[in-house]
Amino acid sequence: MSSVDKALRILVHLGDGPASLDDLASALEVHKTTVLRLLRTLAADHFVHRDGAQRYHLGARLFELSSRGLDQHEVRTIAAPHLAAFNAEHGRTTHLSELVGSEIVYIDKLESHDHVRMASRIGLRAPVHSTAAGKVLVSDLPPAELERVLAGTGFARATPNTITTREGYLAELARVREQGWAHDAEENEPSINCIAAPVRGASGRAVAAVSVSVPDIVMNDDALLALVPSLLAVTERISGEHGWRPTPRGHP
Amino acid sequence: MSSVDKALRILVHLGDGPASLDDLASALEVHKTTVLRLLRTLAADHFVHRDGAQRYHLGARLFELSSRGLDQHEVRTIAAPHLAAFNAEHGRTTHLSELVGSEIVYIDKLESHDHVRMASRIGLRAPVHSTAAGKVLVSDLPPAELERVLAGTGFARATPNTITTREGYLAELARVREQGWAHDAEENEPSINCIAAPVRGASGRAVAAVSVSVPDIVMNDDALLALVPSLLAVTERISGEHGWRPTPRGHP
DNA sequence: CAGCATGATTGCGTATACTGCAACCTGTGT
DNA sequence: ACACAGGTTGCAGTATACGCAATCATGCTG
């Protein structure tokens, strides 16, 4: 195990909450002298912060880098006011995600107005085959990239509804291309339904997806599907601002 | 230079934008073999992501950890809807900050509705002696902690208006205690004025500060000071929700 | 106040992880 | 085919990371 690995594991562990030197040494099964030295290095550049009670916390540098990193995702900046308005109007958990490698990453999230919240968060990764956003992003890939992503996808079953074969997924992608949006009916998480639509850039390619996720106990699937026109409208607005021009045949 | 240092410097460098292996090796003056190995380690746990064009980007893990880290600042969650409403009403750049060591750290930011934006961001640190938020947080410290913070403060001049002596700062802190809010008249940045008020917790101590910053060209200092009552009202609301109970004498 | 327990910190010798050289691989352009 | 630019791999030397043992700091108890 490299020292860089250990330092990163310290950061990941502190994501669960503040910890003492001893806590960290035990949790990581690394000698506390080693942990102290790593913490010293991390603290020197503000990646961690030690408080008056000798507890270590994730530090300001992480917040700063995250903020800078997210700012590098231009579509996020453009989408933000539109998503805020969409969320203000519909009050549902709304995500903006991008395809990264063979997974999607949530790069923005607007919370539901309900007391029932979703456990997702900015920075979390999710599988492409079982999420509506994943389907939207993958359905628009050129063939070579589609192959690459499919090769990196395990089609792991998350729920009884998960699509678990390449063939099944390709058929679903064709459906998504046809209708211009995607649906995930308890395929990624039990009791959670989701719809998603693409945000396009100047090249016409989907560069991000906007998705709306709702627990079944809050809103049934049919009611969620009624949001598709609004979702398509907001993604079209964002796309337009991101340089997308509809082809002369109009959008799907 | 330790390998952990190098890895962290890679992350900091990528905060400025995506970079290739060669870019990073040159910028850090580290052999590219070493950089490649560090990038491998960072990528394995998603701290960085390499795209199809061999460019490295800050990765999802940073966003996730930042999100988790900020969630550990309970006052931020409580303050968020109140700050959003305050920002919707006044349209001025609004920050929530905490005292960390001898500096303040911005843990939330709401953007101005103007086209003139501030260069601050979540995660940035700022000096306590030249910021209104810093004055608010330090003015409420118990004597031993006040001494510790003052000992760690260089009173560096940022502008012609900066308070640069311990005595001057102590006098300003007394003023802040008296009036219950703080003011920074181009003390931290030229042409930027700022007001701040404390958010208190169950202990009655200031645990965070809400501040409003405005460039002089957008709003003059007098107009900014007119926002003090609204600022005190919102901080009182947040404080109440954070467990604060006014003392029988009422608040200052 | 002294003693004890707990947790944090430091110095030292050495094992191992890190490092850079040199060679190789890949993709692109002429 | 060759050249160039950028990325990647294997190897051996050594600088750095590591853990032991001792010390320091703090808080609690009798």
CSV table of all heavy atoms in Angstrom, one decimal, chain B residues 169-212:
chain,number,residue,atom,x,y,z
B,169,TYR,N,-7.4,46.3,16.1
B,169,TYR,CA,-8.3,45.2,15.9
B,169,TYR,C,-9.1,44.9,17.2
B,169,TYR,O,-10.4,44.7,17.1
B,169,TYR,CB,-7.5,43.9,15.5
B,169,TYR,CG,-8.4,42.8,15.0
B,169,TYR,CD1,-9.3,43.0,14.0
B,169,TYR,CD2,-8.3,41.5,15.6
B,169,TYR,CE1,-10.1,41.9,13.5
B,169,TYR,CE2,-9.1,40.5,15.1
B,169,TYR,CZ,-10.0,40.7,14.1
B,169,TYR,OH,-10.7,39.6,13.7
B,170,LEU,N,-8.5,45.0,18.3
B,170,LEU,CA,-9.2,44.8,19.6
B,170,LEU,C,-10.3,45.9,19.7
B,170,LEU,O,-11.4,45.6,20.2
B,170,LEU,CB,-8.3,44.8,20.8
B,170,LEU,CG,-7.4,43.5,20.9
B,170,LEU,CD1,-6.4,43.6,22.0
B,170,LEU,CD2,-8.3,42.3,21.2
B,171,ALA,N,-10.0,47.1,19.4
B,171,ALA,CA,-11.0,48.2,19.5
B,171,ALA,C,-12.1,47.9,18.5
B,171,ALA,O,-13.3,48.1,18.9
B,171,ALA,CB,-10.3,49.5,19.1
B,172,GLU,N,-11.8,47.4,17.3
B,172,GLU,CA,-12.9,47.1,16.4
B,172,GLU,C,-13.7,46.0,16.9
B,172,GLU,O,-15.0,46.0,16.7
B,172,GLU,CB,-12.2,46.7,15.0
B,172,GLU,CG,-13.2,46.3,13.9
B,172,GLU,CD,-13.9,47.5,13.3
B,172,GLU,OE1,-13.8,48.6,13.8
B,172,GLU,OE2,-14.6,47.3,12.3
B,173,LEU,N,-13.1,45.0,17.5
B,173,LEU,CA,-13.9,43.8,18.0
B,173,LEU,C,-14.8,44.3,19.1
B,173,LEU,O,-16.0,43.8,19.2
B,173,LEU,CB,-12.9,42.8,18.6
B,173,LEU,CG,-12.0,42.0,17.6
B,173,LEU,CD1,-11.2,40.9,18.3
B,173,LEU,CD2,-12.8,41.4,16.5
B,174,ALA,N,-14.4,45.3,19.9
B,174,ALA,CA,-15.3,45.8,21.0
B,174,ALA,C,-16.5,46.5,20.3
B,174,ALA,O,-17.6,46.4,20.8
B,174,ALA,CB,-14.5,46.8,21.9
B,175,ARG,N,-16.2,47.2,19.3
B,175,ARG,CA,-17.3,47.9,18.5
B,175,ARG,C,-18.3,46.8,18.0
B,175,ARG,O,-19.5,47.0,18.1
B,175,ARG,CB,-16.7,48.7,17.4
B,175,ARG,CG,-17.5,49.8,16.8
B,175,ARG,CD,-16.7,50.7,15.9
B,175,ARG,NE,-15.6,51.3,16.6
B,175,ARG,CZ,-14.3,51.2,16.2
B,175,ARG,NH1,-13.9,50.5,15.1
B,175,ARG,NH2,-13.3,51.8,16.9
B,176,VAL,N,-17.8,45.8,17.4
B,176,VAL,CA,-18.6,44.7,16.9
B,176,VAL,C,-19.5,44.1,17.9
B,176,VAL,O,-20.7,43.8,17.7
B,176,VAL,CB,-17.7,43.6,16.2
B,176,VAL,CG1,-18.5,42.4,15.8
B,176,VAL,CG2,-17.0,44.2,15.0
B,177,ARG,N,-18.9,43.8,19.1
B,177,ARG,CA,-19.6,43.3,20.2
B,177,ARG,C,-20.8,44.2,20.6
B,177,ARG,O,-21.9,43.8,20.9
B,177,ARG,CB,-18.7,43.1,21.4
B,177,ARG,CG,-17.9,41.8,21.4
B,177,ARG,CD,-17.1,41.6,22.7
B,177,ARG,NE,-15.9,40.9,22.3
B,177,ARG,CZ,-14.7,41.5,22.3
B,177,ARG,NH1,-14.5,42.7,22.8
B,177,ARG,NH2,-13.6,40.8,21.9
B,178,GLU,N,-20.5,45.5,20.6
B,178,GLU,CA,-21.4,46.5,21.0
B,178,GLU,C,-22.6,46.5,20.1
B,178,GLU,O,-23.8,46.6,20.5
B,178,GLU,CB,-20.7,47.8,21.1
B,178,GLU,CG,-21.6,49.0,21.4
B,178,GLU,CD,-22.1,49.0,22.9
B,178,GLU,OE1,-21.3,48.5,23.7
B,178,GLU,OE2,-23.2,49.3,23.2
B,179,GLN,N,-22.3,46.6,18.8
B,179,GLN,CA,-23.4,46.8,17.8
B,179,GLN,C,-24.0,45.4,17.3
B,179,GLN,O,-25.1,45.4,16.7
B,179,GLN,CB,-22.9,47.7,16.7
B,179,GLN,CG,-21.8,47.1,15.8
B,179,GLN,CD,-21.2,48.2,14.8
B,179,GLN,OE1,-21.4,49.4,15.0
B,179,GLN,NE2,-20.5,47.7,13.8
B,180,GLY,N,-23.3,44.3,17.5
B,180,GLY,CA,-23.8,43.0,17.2
B,180,GLY,C,-23.7,42.6,15.7
B,180,GLY,O,-24.2,41.6,15.3
B,181,TRP,N,-22.9,43.4,15.0
B,181,TRP,CA,-22.6,43.1,13.6
B,181,TRP,C,-21.3,43.8,13.2
B,181,TRP,O,-20.8,44.6,14.0
B,181,TRP,CB,-23.7,43.6,12.6
B,181,TRP,CG,-24.1,45.0,12.8
B,181,TRP,CD1,-25.0,45.6,13.6
B,181,TRP,CD2,-23.6,46.1,12.0
B,181,TRP,NE1,-25.0,47.0,13.5
B,181,TRP,CE2,-24.2,47.3,12.5
B,181,TRP,CE3,-22.6,46.2,10.9
B,181,TRP,CZ2,-23.9,48.6,12.0
B,181,TRP,CZ3,-22.4,47.5,10.4
B,181,TRP,CH2,-23.0,48.7,10.9
B,182,ALA,N,-20.7,43.4,12.1
B,182,ALA,CA,-19.4,44.0,11.7
B,182,ALA,C,-19.5,44.6,10.3
B,182,ALA,O,-20.4,44.2,9.5
B,182,ALA,CB,-18.4,43.0,11.8
B,183,HIS,N,-18.5,45.4,10.0
B,183,HIS,CA,-18.4,46.1,8.8
B,183,HIS,C,-17.0,46.0,8.3
B,183,HIS,O,-16.0,46.1,9.1
B,183,HIS,CB,-18.8,47.6,9.1
B,183,HIS,CG,-18.8,48.4,7.9
B,183,HIS,ND1,-18.5,49.8,7.9
B,183,HIS,CD2,-19.2,48.2,6.6
B,183,HIS,CE1,-18.6,50.3,6.7
B,183,HIS,NE2,-19.1,49.4,5.9
B,184,ASP,N,-16.8,46.0,7.0
B,184,ASP,CA,-15.4,46.0,6.4
B,184,ASP,C,-15.5,46.9,5.3
B,184,ASP,O,-16.2,46.6,4.3
B,184,ASP,CB,-15.0,44.5,6.1
B,184,ASP,CG,-14.3,44.3,4.8
B,184,ASP,OD1,-13.6,45.3,4.3
B,184,ASP,OD2,-14.4,43.2,4.2
B,185,ALA,N,-15.0,48.1,5.4
B,185,ALA,CA,-15.0,49.2,4.4
B,185,ALA,C,-13.7,49.1,3.6
B,185,ALA,O,-12.8,49.8,3.9
B,185,ALA,CB,-15.2,50.5,5.1
B,186,GLU,N,-13.7,48.3,2.6
B,186,GLU,CA,-12.6,48.2,1.7
B,186,GLU,C,-11.3,47.8,2.5
B,186,GLU,O,-10.2,48.3,2.2
B,186,GLU,CB,-12.3,49.5,0.9
B,186,GLU,CG,-13.5,49.8,-0.1
B,186,GLU,CD,-13.1,51.0,-1.0
B,186,GLU,OE1,-12.2,50.7,-1.9
B,186,GLU,OE2,-13.6,52.1,-0.9
B,187,GLU,N,-11.5,47.0,3.5
B,187,GLU,CA,-10.3,46.6,4.3
B,187,GLU,C,-9.7,45.3,3.8
B,187,GLU,O,-8.5,45.0,4.0
B,187,GLU,CB,-10.8,46.4,5.8
B,187,GLU,CG,-11.1,47.7,6.5
B,187,GLU,CD,-12.0,47.5,7.7
B,187,GLU,OE1,-11.5,46.7,8.6
B,187,GLU,OE2,-13.0,48.1,7.8
B,188,ASN,N,-10.5,44.4,3.1
B,188,ASN,CA,-9.9,43.2,2.6
B,188,ASN,C,-9.6,43.2,1.2
B,188,ASN,O,-8.6,42.6,0.7
B,188,ASN,CB,-10.9,42.0,2.9
B,188,ASN,CG,-10.3,40.7,2.8
B,188,ASN,OD1,-9.2,40.4,3.3
B,188,ASN,ND2,-10.9,39.8,2.0
B,189,GLU,N,-10.4,43.9,0.4
B,189,GLU,CA,-10.2,44.0,-1.0
B,189,GLU,C,-10.6,45.4,-1.4
B,189,GLU,O,-11.6,46.0,-0.9
B,189,GLU,CB,-11.1,43.1,-1.8
B,189,GLU,CG,-10.7,41.6,-1.8
B,189,GLU,CD,-11.7,40.8,-2.6
B,189,GLU,OE1,-11.6,40.7,-3.8
B,189,GLU,OE2,-12.7,40.3,-2.0
B,190,PRO,N,-9.8,46.1,-2.3
B,190,PRO,CA,-10.2,47.4,-2.7
B,190,PRO,C,-11.5,47.4,-3.4
B,190,PRO,O,-11.9,46.4,-4.1
B,190,PRO,CB,-9.1,47.8,-3.8
B,190,PRO,CG,-7.9,46.8,-3.5
B,190,PRO,CD,-8.6,45.6,-2.9
B,191,SER,N,-12.3,48.4,-3.1
B,191,SER,CA,-13.6,48.6,-3.8
B,191,SER,C,-14.7,47.6,-3.3
B,191,SER,O,-15.8,47.6,-3.9
B,191,SER,CB,-13.5,48.6,-5.3
B,191,SER,OG,-12.5,49.4,-5.8
B,192,ILE,N,-14.4,46.8,-2.3
B,192,ILE,CA,-15.4,45.9,-1.8
B,192,ILE,C,-15.7,46.2,-0.4
B,192,ILE,O,-14.8,46.2,0.5
B,192,ILE,CB,-14.9,44.4,-1.9
B,192,ILE,CG1,-14.4,44.0,-3.3
B,192,ILE,CG2,-16.0,43.4,-1.5
B,192,ILE,CD1,-15.4,43.8,-4.3
B,193,ASN,N,-17.0,46.4,-0.2
B,193,ASN,CA,-17.5,46.6,1.2
B,193,ASN,C,-18.3,45.4,1.6
B,193,ASN,O,-18.9,44.7,0.8
B,193,ASN,CB,-18.4,47.9,1.3
B,193,ASN,CG,-17.6,49.1,0.9
B,193,ASN,OD1,-16.5,49.4,1.4
B,193,ASN,ND2,-18.2,49.9,-0.1
B,194,CYS,N,-18.3,45.2,2.9
B,194,CYS,CA,-18.9,44.0,3.4
B,194,CYS,C,-19.5,44.2,4.8
B,194,CYS,O,-19.0,45.0,5.6
B,194,CYS,CB,-17.8,42.9,3.5
B,194,CYS,SG,-18.5,41.3,4.0
B,195,ILE,N,-20.7,43.6,5.1
B,195,ILE,CA,-21.2,43.6,6.4
B,195,ILE,C,-21.4,42.1,6.8
B,195,ILE,O,-21.6,41.3,6.0
B,195,ILE,CB,-22.6,44.3,6.5
B,195,ILE,CG1,-23.6,43.8,5.5
B,195,ILE,CG2,-22.4,45.8,6.4
B,195,ILE,CD1,-25.0,44.4,5.5
B,196,ALA,N,-21.4,41.9,8.1
B,196,ALA,CA,-21.6,40.5,8.6
B,196,ALA,C,-22.2,40.5,9.9
B,196,ALA,O,-22.1,41.4,10.7
B,196,ALA,CB,-20.2,39.8,8.7
B,197,ALA,N,-23.0,39.4,10.2
B,197,ALA,CA,-23.6,39.2,11.5
B,197,ALA,C,-23.5,37.7,11.9
B,197,ALA,O,-23.3,36.9,11.1
B,197,ALA,CB,-25.1,39.6,11.4
B,198,PRO,N,-23.5,37.5,13.2
B,198,PRO,CA,-23.3,36.1,13.7
B,198,PRO,C,-24.5,35.2,13.7
B,198,PRO,O,-25.6,35.6,13.9
B,198,PRO,CB,-22.8,36.4,15.2
B,198,PRO,CG,-23.6,37.6,15.6
B,198,PRO,CD,-23.7,38.5,14.3
B,199,VAL,N,-24.2,33.9,13.4
B,199,VAL,CA,-25.2,32.9,13.7
B,199,VAL,C,-24.7,32.2,14.9
B,199,VAL,O,-23.6,31.8,15.1
B,199,VAL,CB,-25.1,31.9,12.5
B,199,VAL,CG1,-26.0,30.7,12.8
B,199,VAL,CG2,-25.6,32.6,11.2
B,200,ARG,N,-25.6,32.1,15.9
B,200,ARG,CA,-25.3,31.5,17.2
B,200,ARG,C,-25.9,30.1,17.3
B,200,ARG,O,-26.9,29.8,16.7
B,200,ARG,CB,-25.8,32.4,18.3
B,200,ARG,CG,-25.2,33.7,18.3
B,200,ARG,CD,-25.7,34.7,19.4
B,200,ARG,NE,-25.2,36.0,19.2
B,200,ARG,CZ,-23.9,36.4,19.4
B,200,ARG,NH1,-23.1,35.6,19.9
B,200,ARG,NH2,-23.6,37.7,19.2
B,201,GLY,N,-25.2,29.3,18.1
B,201,GLY,CA,-25.7,27.9,18.4
B,201,GLY,C,-26.3,27.8,19.8
B,201,GLY,O,-26.5,28.9,20.5
B,202,ALA,N,-26.6,26.6,20.2
B,202,ALA,CA,-27.3,26.4,21.5
B,202,ALA,C,-26.4,27.0,22.7
B,202,ALA,O,-27.0,27.4,23.7
B,202,ALA,CB,-27.5,24.9,21.7
B,203,SER,N,-25.1,27.0,22.5
B,203,SER,CA,-24.3,27.6,23.6
B,203,SER,C,-24.3,29.1,23.6
B,203,SER,O,-23.8,29.7,24.6
B,203,SER,CB,-22.8,27.1,23.3
B,203,SER,OG,-22.3,27.8,22.2
B,204,GLY,N,-25.0,29.7,22.7
B,204,GLY,CA,-25.0,31.2,22.6
B,204,GLY,C,-23.8,31.8,21.9
B,204,GLY,O,-23.8,32.9,21.6
B,205,ARG,N,-22.8,30.9,21.6
B,205,ARG,CA,-21.6,31.4,20.9
B,205,ARG,C,-21.8,31.5,19.4
B,205,ARG,O,-22.6,30.7,18.8
B,205,ARG,CB,-20.5,30.4,21.1
B,205,ARG,CG,-19.8,30.5,22.5
B,205,ARG,CD,-18.6,31.3,22.5
B,205,ARG,NE,-18.1,31.5,23.8
B,205,ARG,CZ,-17.8,32.7,24.3
B,205,ARG,NH1,-18.0,33.8,23.6
B,205,ARG,NH2,-17.4,32.8,25.6
B,206,ALA,N,-21.1,32.5,18.8
B,206,ALA,CA,-21.2,32.6,17.3
B,206,ALA,C,-20.5,31.3,16.7
B,206,ALA,O,-19.3,31.1,17.1
B,206,ALA,CB,-20.5,33.8,16.9
B,207,VAL,N,-21.2,30.6,15.9
B,207,VAL,CA,-20.6,29.4,15.3
B,207,VAL,C,-20.4,29.6,13.8
B,207,VAL,O,-19.7,28.8,13.1
B,207,VAL,CB,-21.6,28.2,15.4
B,207,VAL,CG1,-21.6,27.8,16.9
B,207,VAL,CG2,-22.9,28.4,14.8
B,208,ALA,N,-21.0,30.7,13.2
B,208,ALA,CA,-20.8,31.0,11.8
B,208,ALA,C,-21.2,32.5,11.6
B,208,ALA,O,-21.7,33.1,12.5
B,208,ALA,CB,-21.7,30.1,11.0
B,209,ALA,N,-20.8,33.0,10.5
B,209,ALA,CA,-21.2,34.4,10.2
B,209,ALA,C,-21.8,34.4,8.8
B,209,ALA,O,-21.4,33.7,7.9
B,209,ALA,CB,-20.0,35.3,10.2
B,210,VAL,N,-22.8,35.2,8.7
B,210,VAL,CA,-23.4,35.5,7.3
B,210,VAL,C,-22.9,36.9,6.9
B,210,VAL,O,-23.0,37.8,7.7
B,210,VAL,CB,-25.0,35.5,7.4
B,210,VAL,CG1,-25.5,35.9,6.0
B,210,VAL,CG2,-25.5,34.2,7.8
B,211,SER,N,-22.4,37.0,5.7
B,211,SER,CA,-21.9,38.2,5.3
B,211,SER,C,-22.4,38.6,3.9
B,211,SER,O,-22.7,37.7,3.1
B,211,SER,CB,-20.4,38.3,5.3
B,211,SER,OG,-19.8,37.2,4.6
B,212,VAL,N,-22.5,39.9,3.6
B,212,VAL,CA,-22.9,40.4,2.4
B,212,VAL,C,-21.8,41.3,1.8
B,212,VAL,O,-21.4,42.2,2.5
B,212,VAL,CB,-24.2,41.2,2.5
B,212,VAL,CG1,-24.7,41.7,1.1
B,212,VAL,CG2,-25.3,40.4,3.2
